[in-house]
Amino acid sequence: MLDGNNNLFIDCILQARMGSTRLPGKVLLNIDETDTIIEFLIKQINHSKINRLIVAIPSGSENDILEEYLKKMNVTCFRGNECDVLDRYYQCAKKFSLKHIVRLTGDNPLIDPEIINLAIDSYDNEECDYLTNSVNRTFPYGTEVEIFSFNSLENAWKNAEMDSEREHVTPYFYNNPNKFNIRHLTQSVNNSKFRYTVDQEEDFLLVKEIVKKIKNRPIITKDIIQVLNDNPDIQKINSKVKPKSLE
């Protein structure tokens, strides 16, 4: 629940899967001596003011191992459509009666709980339908946060027709700014040159180095940027990996 008197609850649907084409099974790779990517990510999220966390994974059998892993962590899991991730989100939100949803992805184990909280506060204060920090980008790749209401999600679910709008969940929002009250979360300093989302092997190696060098938990963005600026050789690990446009 947010601070104040509005009693607004924000829940999170985290999408994850085993079937990444570039780095298969990445969410269960060990990021340090004790945690896998998905476990480290969930620990980061748990430092935020998110109310409930549900991990939405595909229904295909290759994800059975992920569901079992999440059960052992006592994390709520939802199984849904493999390719139509918009439908997976909608059915998940409907099943758990979610009213306001934070969307996070399993690619970002170093998600910053402070940025999640900033996004939640901005969403609440602006009373918008959809908030994102990943369209007009000033935050690093690997810190993506999106928030939307269930009503907006249902609107998208009913009307989105393009494959990209079904696969990537939120493009219908920013493709139709006349239908939604949209808020772009930005900051005065543009840190979008930094990239530590995990897409390929080089990204994974970079993130492991970052985790190794930062002892404080949770790991926050300013500490990551400090490490990257102080250790330019680390940045070179994934310097040839180009960001995905929408995935």
Side-chain angles (χ1 to χ4, degrees):
M1 185 173 69
L2 298 185
D3 294 334
N5 299 316
N6 48 26
N7 294 321
L8 176 64
F9 284 83
I10 299 281
D11 300 301
C12 176
I13 300 177
L14 167 65
Q15 67 186 70
R17 59 175 178 156
M18 292 296 293
S20 170
T21 55
R22 298 174 181 87
L23 190 59
K26 63 185 175 185
V27 293
L28 293 185
L29 295 176
N30 276 91
I31 203 170
D32 61 15
E33 294 83 358
T34 58
D35 294 334
T36 59
I37 281 181
I38 191 72
E39 192 167 4
F40 197 95
L41 168 56
I42 289 171
K43 286 181 178 180
Q44 290 281 112
I45 295 170
N46 285 341
H47 284 279
S48 75
K49 61 174 72 175
I50 283 170
N51 179 39
R52 285 182 292 174
L53 170 66
I54 302 147
V55 181
I57 67 176
S59 56
S61 59
E62 68 178 330
N63 293 284
D64 291 350
I65 187 174
L66 179 56
E67 181 178 12
E68 289 302 313
Y69 189 87
L70 292 167
K71 283 181 178 178
K72 289 179 181 177
M73 292 177 60
N74 294 315
V75 173
T76 302
C77 182
F78 175 86
R79 304 289 291 268
N81 197 295
E82 172 85 43
C83 298
D84 189 344
V85 191
L86 175 58
D87 181 71
R88 196 193 314 167
Y89 263 76
Y90 175 72
Q91 300 301 339
C92 178
K94 188 175 181 180
K95 177 178 179 178
F96 291 97
S97 301
L98 309 186
K99 300 302 182 186
H100 303 277
I101 301 121
V102 173
R103 177 183 179 235
L104 301 175
T105 72
D107 298 336
N108 299 331
L110 303 185
I111 190 69
D112 185 343
E114 292 184 356
I115 294 178
I116 296 175
N117 290 344
L118 177 63
I120 289 173
D121 290 342
S122 297
Y123 175 84
D124 182 33
N125 293 333
E126 295 290 331
E127 297 183 349
C128 55
D129 300 313
Y130 169 64
L131 179 140
T132 175
N133 70 343
S134 59
V135 177
N136 296 340
R137 184 181 292 275
T138 58
F139 290 89
Y141 287 85
T143 63
E144 288 79 5
V145 181
E146 297 175 288
I147 309 179
F148 41 84
S149 65
F150 176 80
N151 289 340
S152 299
L153 177 63
E154 187 169 56
N155 186 333
W157 177 76
K158 287 179 178 178
N159 295 296
E161 297 180 351
M162 293 191 294
D163 289 345
S164 61
E165 292 176 342
R166 309 297 305 190
E167 180 183 357
H168 300 294
V169 184
T170 55
Y172 185 79
F173 295 140
Y174 49 81
N175 287 343
N176 295 276
N178 58 314
K179 295 183 179 181
F180 303 97
N181 179 10
I182 297 174
R183 167 86 159 84
H184 294 280
L185 182 65
T186 59
Q187 58 184 2
S188 57
V189 178
N190 189 341
N191 286 323
S192 61
K193 68 178 181 179
F194 297 103
R195 182 181 185 279
Y196 42 87
T197 189
V198 178
D199 179 29
Q200 300 189 27
E201 178 76 16
E202 295 87 345
D203 301 321
F204 175 59
L205 295 175
L206 170 71
V207 167
K208 288 187 73 172
E209 285 298 315
I210 293 171
V211 170
K212 190 185 301 181
K213 287 186 175 295
I214 300 175
K215 302 306 178 185
N216 293 334
R217 298 291 184 270
I219 290 179
I220 58 176
T221 305
K222 68 176 183 179
D223 291 339
I224 297 172
I225 291 175
Q226 185 70 50
V227 164
L228 294 175
N229 283 332
D230 291 346
N231 300 271
D233 286 346
I234 293 180
Q235 292 191 59
K236 295 177 183 178
I237 294 174
N238 72 339
S239 61
K240 294 183 180 180
V241 178
K242 295 183 179 179
K244 296 176 289 184
S245 57
L246 281 171
E247 200 169 35

